[in-house]
Amino acid sequence: MAVKRMDNIGIVVEDLDGTVDFFVELGLELEGRAAIEGEWAGRVTGLGDQHVEVAMMRTPDGNSRLELSRFVRPPVVADHRNAPVNALGYLRAMFAVDDIHDTLERLRPHGAELVGEVVDYQDVYRLCYIRGPEGLLVGLAQELG
């Protein structure tokens, strides 16, 4: 059987409210928030007794989701947020936007910082990487023409 779809990408954060605000400003919609805890949840993740606050974000087309999680327990054990672009493992999420420069201006008050430069790729895309809240790496792509 083939994969039906990619359901979501999960990102663990410390400041759930601030990260939700960042992604709402980017254009995602808050689909819902919940606290997840209990014996069943620990069996799924292998973390045992856990309590996680989750915010599910949805892209405007409804096809993609981003699950933001803040662990109350157990405590976070590693931090990969400031890894460089060529680090192994999770790298970034890329979002298509209407206007990359307008998007950057709207996201700067929410902690967005340009990683390199905004560049045009063969008159097809305008691209950049930004660091969002907590150093999360996010790619932005604007179709040209």
Side-chain angles (χ1 to χ4, degrees), residues 9 85 89-95 128-130 136-140:
I9 293 175
V85 174
Y90 165 79
L91 179 58
R92 53 117 179 104
M94 176 72 75
F95 295 94
C128 72
Y129 285 165
I130 60 173
L136 297 174
L137 189 59
V138 175
L140 302 176

Side-chain angles (χ1 to χ4, degrees), residues 24-136:
V24 165
E25 187 63 41
L26 179 58
L28 277 69
E29 301 165 11
L30 177 61
E31 191 171 69
R33 290 182 74 147
I36 299 173
E37 62 183 318
E39 178 266 336
W40 69 271
R43 288 195 346 256
V44 172
T45 63
L47 294 176
D49 182 31
Q50 72 177 38
H51 178 179
V52 183
E53 296 174 350
V54 174
M56 189 63 75
M57 310 295 298
R58 180 182 58 237
T59 57
D61 64 3
N63 293 324
S64 300
R65 287 177 177 75
L66 188 63
E67 180 181 300
L68 304 173
S69 302
R70 185 182 82 80
F71 276 81
V72 176
R73 72 174 180 273
V76 173
V77 296
D79 190 342
H80 305 286
R81 292 175 289 191
N82 293 309
V85 174
N86 62 342
L88 296 174
Y90 165 79
L91 179 58
R92 53 117 179 104
M94 176 72 75
F95 295 94
V97 298
D98 292 328
D99 181 325
I100 214 166
H101 294 292
D102 175 67
T103 302
L104 286 169
E105 288 305 310
R106 289 186 299 102
L107 293 178
R108 279 194 175 103
H110 295 274
E113 295 180 9
L114 198 57
V115 171
E117 300 176 32
V118 176
V119 298
D120 288 358
Y121 173 71
Q122 298 183 354
D123 297 324
V124 178
Y125 285 103
R126 182 162 292 140
L127 304 164
C128 72
Y129 285 165
I130 60 173
R131 292 279 179 187
E134 301 187 34
L136 297 174

